[in-house]
Amino acid sequence: MFNSQAPKTEDLPTSAQLVKSTVISAIAAGAILITVVLPSEYGIDPTGVGSVLGLTEMGEIKTQLAEEAEMDRQAGEAQPVPVQPTTSHNSTQPVPQQGSSILDRIIREFGVSAAYAQAATRKDEMSVTLQPGEATEIKLTMSKGAKATYEWTAQGGGVNYDMHADGDGGKTTSYKKGRAEPTDSGELEAAFDGKHGWFWRNRTSSPVTVTLKTSGAYSDIKRMM
C-alpha cells in the first residue's frame, strides 16, 4: 500500500497568496468580459477595444437581428400568410424518350412515385418590396440533410438579414447573419427537419426589393410574414 507524504506547511500557499491569486483571476475574467464578451455578444464596448478588434459591430448585428426577429415573430404569430411565388415550378419535365417507362416502373417497385421523385428537386423565385423599416421572412420546408442552393439580391439598398431555421421541439439555429448587405448566395444544408430560410429588414430610407432564387430538395416555400 502506498501512502503519499503530507506536504510540509512551508510548501502550502499562504492565505495572502490565495487571496492574491483569486483577485488576479477575477481581474482577468473581468477584463475578458469587458473587452471581448460584451462587445462581441451585446455590442457594449466601454473600453473601445471591441471597436478596434471589430467585435462591437458583430455584437450590434447579433443584438439588432435577434431583437427584430423576436418582435416580428411575436407580431406575426398568427397563421402564416401563404404567398404564391413569382415563379414556382418543379424541375424541368424530361423529354419523353425510350426507356422512361422502365424508369417509372423501377421507381414504383421501390415504393416511390414518379411525382415524388420530381418534387424532390424544385426551383422557385420570389420578390418582396420592403418599405423603410419593414421586414419579411421566407422559409423552405426541408428534411435534415437536404440541400438547396440560393441567391438573393436587394435592389435599392442593402438589408439586414439572418439565415436561420426552426424545427420541432423548439429547435433553432442561425446559419449566418449580415447588415446592410446587397446580396448573398450559397448552399443551405438543413441541420434538422423544419423551416429553413431568411429574415430581412430594410433599414434604409427608401424602398428595397428583395428577390430570392432557390433550387434544391425542399417541399414548400412560403412567405411567413
Side-chain angles (χ1 to χ4, degrees), residues 52-114:
V52 175
L53 299 177
L55 300 176
T56 304
E57 183 178 4
M58 180 171 63
E60 290 173 349
I61 292 174
K62 288 183 179 179
T63 302
Q64 183 179 9
L65 289 174
E67 290 174 352
E68 292 175 352
E70 179 62 20
M71 286 188 297
D72 288 314
R73 184 188 67 80
Q74 293 175 358
E77 284 226 325
Q79 183 176 1
V81 181
V83 174
Q84 293 295 332
T86 303
T87 303
S88 179
H89 55 275
N90 291 339
S91 56
T92 305
Q93 296 292 333
V95 177
Q97 54 183 326
Q98 186 176 6
S100 61
S101 60
I102 297 176
L103 176 60
D104 290 342
R105 289 179 58 187
I106 293 174
I107 292 174
R108 284 196 297 271
E109 286 295 326
F110 283 92
V112 181
S113 68

Side-chain angles (χ1 to χ4, degrees), residues 13 24 39 66 74-75 78 85 105 114 116 122 124 126 137 149-150 152 181-182 185 193 199 205 216 220:
I24 292 175
Q74 293 175 358
R105 289 179 58 187
Y116 178 84
R122 57 181 288 173
D124 295 278
M126 297 180 70
E137 186 176 38
T149 58
Y150 70 90
W152 63 262
E181 297 289 346
S185 62
D193 294 350
F199 169 89
S205 58
D220 192 24

Side-chain angles (χ1 to χ4, degrees), residues 5 50 52-53 58 93-94 110 163-164 180 186 198 200-201 225:
Q5 185 177 3
V52 175
L53 299 177
M58 180 171 63
Q93 296 292 333
F110 283 92
M163 189 170 78
H164 62 286
W198 300 263
W200 297 278
R201 183 178 290 276
M225 55 176 291

Side-chain angles (χ1 to χ4, degrees), residues 83-90 122-128 138 140 149-153 155 200 209-216 218 221-222:
V83 174
Q84 293 295 332
T86 303
T87 303
S88 179
H89 55 275
N90 291 339
R122 57 181 288 173
K123 296 180 180 180
D124 295 278
E125 180 176 331
M126 297 180 70
S127 294
V128 181
I138 296 176
L140 310 177
T149 58
Y150 70 90
E151 179 184 12
W152 63 262
T153 56
Q155 297 293 328
W200 297 278
T209 298
V210 177
T211 299
L212 171 67
K213 298 179 181 180
T214 56
S215 175
Y218 55 93
I221 182 172
K222 184 177 294 184

Side-chain angles (χ1 to χ4, degrees), residues 18-19 40 46 68 80 121 137 152 156 173 210-211 219:
L18 290 174
V19 171
S40 64
E68 292 175 352
T121 301
E137 186 176 38
W152 63 262
T173 189
V210 177
T211 299
S219 60

